[in-house]
Amino acid sequence: MLHNSREKYFEWTLLLLIFTLGYTIVVQALDFLGGILGAITLYVMLRHINFSLTDKYGKNKAAWIITLTITLFVLIPLTLLPLFAYDYIQKFNFDVNTIIDKFVKTLHYIKNEFNIDLMSDKSKEYITAKMTLIFNMLLSGLNNFAVNLFTAILVLFFLLAGGRNMEHYISRLLPFNEKNKDIIKKQIYLTVRSNAIGIPLLALIQGIIAGIGYYIFGVNNAILFAILTGFASIIPLVGTMIIWIPLCIAQYFEGSLYQTIGLLAYCTLVVAQCDNVIRLFLQKKMADTHPLITIFGVIVGLPVFGFMGVIFGPLLVGMFLLILDMFAKQYVLGEIDDNNNKNIKPNLDLERKLLTHSDKDKKDIEI
């Protein structure tokens, strides 16, 4: 009896230490959450390629090959493209006097017609404060992006190096039978893959649709702004509006009233609405995900995971419903699959292969 009490004491003490240390680590790592989730997304997408290269070259070489390839041909170009676009926009030649004159006339018109003075002292203070806040947010966003990019590369390397052994270890810790483990792994893979592929595909489609409207209504440098609109579609909540709203304002200040009305109508009715329709269609097609799971997943995921919530929010909601269904079938409804729950034994042959290595394998394990 005393022995059992001591064992219980040690068990609960160990669990308390694990929870305390884990909570501390999670809280301190929140600033790097975007990079960690990005690395997990890349790993899920590249795991089959990683396994093939590991069988051919060993785990360390495979991890280096994939990490360097992703860094050079994906992450660095994605980082340089916004900088190139920013530099390109700075070279635009605007007729400043015409814009200022149109702006002043617009303010006078609003004041005379609606008795709203947008240039009062209070309005100036409000606009100045908001512009300062937006500027600081942009600077902070750039810094966070650089930090999370480095974090993603670093974490991705060690995930790739862990490979099969890491997945097998995590699988053994899951409190499910083998059939349910396979279902969960499949669900994670499908959801992450569908979002990781669907988001860039959505950006491409959004850019093409927006570019058509920009060309029709006479926007200068329509191709460049179409590319920027595609990238903006990735940004949660505001999305493409951060591109086409300033474009509509610019069209108005250039004196093209009818083109401005047409562009505003096109962007409001077509560009803004097709985002939701295409996103839901892709989710349903690629992962057979119910549209409500995607909608509520993004709503839940954005406050928790930030930008990566567009991927891991739907995954979180989908996993909750999946585990709830497993619990209901096994413990509430009593729908137990005898073939999978009877005499469940660990795969000893697989464990022996993973835990017993030749000298070459032992060298590969050391990172």
Side-chain angles (χ1 to χ4, degrees):
M1 186 70 178
L2 183 60
H3 178 72
N4 291 336
S5 299
R6 285 172 59 85
E7 286 294 324
K8 284 292 181 183
Y9 169 75
F10 290 144
E11 180 181 353
W12 284 103
T13 302
L14 183 60
L15 287 174
L16 179 61
L17 286 173
I18 292 172
F19 176 80
T20 303
L21 294 175
Y23 177 78
T24 304
I25 292 171
V26 169
V27 169
Q28 296 301 319
L30 285 178
D31 291 337
F32 309 97
L33 184 61
I36 295 171
L37 295 178
I40 293 173
T41 301
L42 289 172
Y43 174 80
V44 172
M45 298 296 297
L46 300 168
R47 60 190 295 271
H48 293 303
I49 298 175
N50 182 46
F51 293 160
S52 299
L53 292 177
T54 298
D55 294 336
K56 190 173 183 179
Y57 300 109
K59 56 179 17 177
N60 284 344
K61 288 184 179 180
W64 277 111
I65 291 171
I66 295 175
T67 304
L68 290 175
T69 302
I70 292 297
T71 303
L72 293 175
F73 296 102
V74 178
L75 298 180
I76 291 180
L78 287 178
T79 305
L80 295 177
L81 188 58
L83 297 177
F84 167 77
Y86 175 76
D87 182 66
Y88 191 80
I89 290 173
Q90 282 187 321
K91 297 177 181 178
F92 283 175
N93 293 318
F94 294 107
D95 188 349
V96 178
N97 293 327
T98 302
I99 293 176
I100 292 175
D101 183 60
K102 187 72 175 179
F103 183 67
V104 171
K105 288 181 180 179
T106 303
L107 293 178
H108 284 306
Y109 176 79
I110 293 174
K111 183 178 180 179
N112 294 331
E113 292 294 326
F114 304 102
N115 197 26
I116 299 175
D117 187 4
L118 295 177
M119 294 308 294
S120 64
D121 292 338
K122 185 177 292 186
S123 299
K124 291 178 182 178
E125 291 177 1
Y126 176 80
I127 294 172
T128 302
K130 285 297 181 182
M131 293 299 294
T132 304
L133 178 62
I134 293 172
F135 180 74
N136 291 333
M137 287 177 61
L138 288 174
L139 289 179
S140 176
L142 289 175
N143 292 331
N144 289 335
F145 177 77
V147 171
N148 280 292
L149 184 65
F150 176 78
T151 303
I153 296 171
L154 183 65
V155 174
L156 175 63
F157 174 82
F158 287 102
L159 290 176
L160 294 169
R164 290 191 181 96
N165 288 343
M166 176 192 67
E167 290 190 18
H168 178 64
Y169 178 78
I170 295 174
S171 179
R172 290 180 62 191
L173 295 178
L174 296 177
F176 307 105
N177 60 41
E178 295 302 320
K179 178 184 178 182
N180 288 338
K181 287 180 182 180
D182 291 337
I183 293 174
I184 288 175
K185 286 188 285 187
K186 181 180 179 182
Q187 178 74 16
I188 293 174
Y189 177 75
L190 287 177
T191 303
V192 173
R193 187 194 66 171
S194 65
N195 283 282
I197 296 176
I199 290 174
L201 185 58
L202 174 65
L204 176 63
I205 297 173
Q206 282 278 75
I208 293 173
I209 292 174
I212 293 172
Y214 297 160
Y215 178 78
I216 292 173
F217 295 104
V219 174
N220 294 327
N221 298 282
I223 296 178
L224 172 64
F225 284 111
I227 295 173
L228 293 177
T229 304
F231 276 97
S233 68
I234 302 175
I235 301 173
L237 300 180
V238 292
T240 58
M241 288 190 297
I242 66 172
I243 302 297
W244 59 260
I245 287 179
L247 276 182
C248 292
I249 296 174
Q251 284 289 92
Y252 172 73
F253 285 140
E254 288 176 3
S256 306
L257 180 60
Y258 294 107
Q259 287 183 331
T260 301
I261 295 174
L263 180 63
L264 180 62
Y266 181 86
C267 292
T268 304
L269 300 176
V270 179
V271 178
Q273 300 305 319
C274 73
D275 176 79
N276 297 326
V277 175
I278 298 172
R279 190 186 300 274
L280 296 179
F281 173 79
L282 290 175
Q283 289 293 320
K284 185 68 177 177
K285 197 72 175 177
M286 298 181 68
D288 195 23
T289 304
H290 195 280
L292 287 178
I293 294 178
T294 302
I295 294 172
F296 285 110
V298 173
I299 293 173
V300 171
L302 290 177
V304 178
F305 303 115
F307 169 72
M308 295 303 294
V310 297
I311 293 178
F312 287 89
L315 175 62
L316 183 66
V317 175
M319 292 301 299
F320 169 76
L321 295 176
L322 180 63
I323 294 173
L324 179 64
D325 181 64
M326 290 178 179
F327 178 84
K329 286 182 177 179
Q330 186 163 345
Y331 298 105
V332 179
L333 303 176
E335 298 177 9
I336 301 176
D337 189 344
D338 294 333
N339 293 327
N340 287 282
N341 288 282
K342 193 189 302 180
N343 298 324
I344 297 176
K345 297 178 180 179
N347 191 333
L348 298 179
D349 291 336
L350 178 60
E351 291 193 21
R352 289 192 191 100
K353 290 179 181 178
L354 291 170
L355 297 176
T356 304
H357 304 272
S358 64
D359 293 336
K360 180 179 180 301
D361 294 329
K362 290 179 181 177
K363 291 179 182 178
D364 288 338
I365 294 174
E366 298 175 0
I367 300 175

